[in-house]
């Protein structure tokens, strides 16, 4: 009986320790998340790798920037895009905003305001 009570006490202590570690790692993970703009008045500079980039003529250029493991869909109008090209996984730094008028598919698409 004493062994059984001792075993339960050890399990409670272990469970208590593992809860502390879990919250610490979730706080560290949230600190590493990408911060993105929420409206057209905000600007965010984001660095990552361009995993996809495509020129669509008059429709502009579309791409996917991977930053801190998160995929961010980006768009820029044809005039601003010009002849800009990105190789797959090429490093890129973009200044982004969020314009609710430029949403054409599932998820959020962020508008490129400048290429750095």
């Amino acid at each position: 009986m004493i062994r059984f009570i001792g075993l339960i006490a050890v399990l409670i202590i272990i469970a208590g320790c593992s809860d502390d570690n879990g919250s610490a790692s979730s706080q560290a993970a949230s600190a590493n998340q990408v911060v993105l703009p929420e409206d057209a008045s905000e600007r965010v500079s984001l660095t990552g790798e361009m995993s996809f980039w495509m020129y669509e003529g008059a429709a502009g250029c579309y791409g996917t920037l991977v930053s801190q493991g998160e995929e961010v869909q980006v768009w820029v109008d044809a005039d601003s895009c010009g002849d800009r090209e990105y190789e797959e996984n090429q490093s890129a730094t973009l200044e982004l905003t969020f314009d609710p008028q430029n949403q054409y598919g599932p998820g959020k698409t962020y508008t490129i305001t400048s290429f750095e």
Side-chain angles (χ1 to χ4, degrees):
M1 183 68 161
I2 294 175
R3 286 184 183 174
F4 179 72
I5 293 172
L7 178 62
I8 289 176
V10 169
L11 291 175
I12 290 172
I13 291 170
I14 291 172
C17 291
S18 66
D19 285 345
D20 291 342
N21 290 339
S23 63
S25 62
S26 65
Q27 288 174 353
S30 66
N32 291 331
Q33 289 180 339
V34 174
V35 177
L36 295 167
E38 296 181 12
D39 61 51
S41 67
E42 295 180 31
R43 301 280 188 274
V44 171
S45 181
L46 198 60
T47 300
E49 293 180 345
M50 194 66 74
S51 68
F52 171 78
W53 183 256
M54 181 171 59
Y55 175 74
E56 281 288 315
C61 293
Y62 298 88
T64 302
L65 183 72
V66 178
S67 181
Q68 298 178 15
E70 186 174 332
E71 290 187 349
V72 179
Q73 305 302 315
V74 296
W75 170 85
V76 67
D77 64 76
D79 292 334
S80 299
C81 180
D83 60 356
R84 183 171 300 275
E85 292 290 333
Y86 286 102
E87 297 292 324
E88 187 175 346
N89 299 321
Q90 181 179 341
S91 180
T93 300
L94 309 173
E95 184 182 78
L96 305 175
T97 190
F98 179 74
D99 186 350
Q101 304 277 330
N102 294 336
Q103 303 303 305
Y104 303 105
K108 290 184 175 181
T109 301
Y110 295 87
T111 304
I112 300 171
T113 55
S114 70
F115 299 92
E116 299 176 18

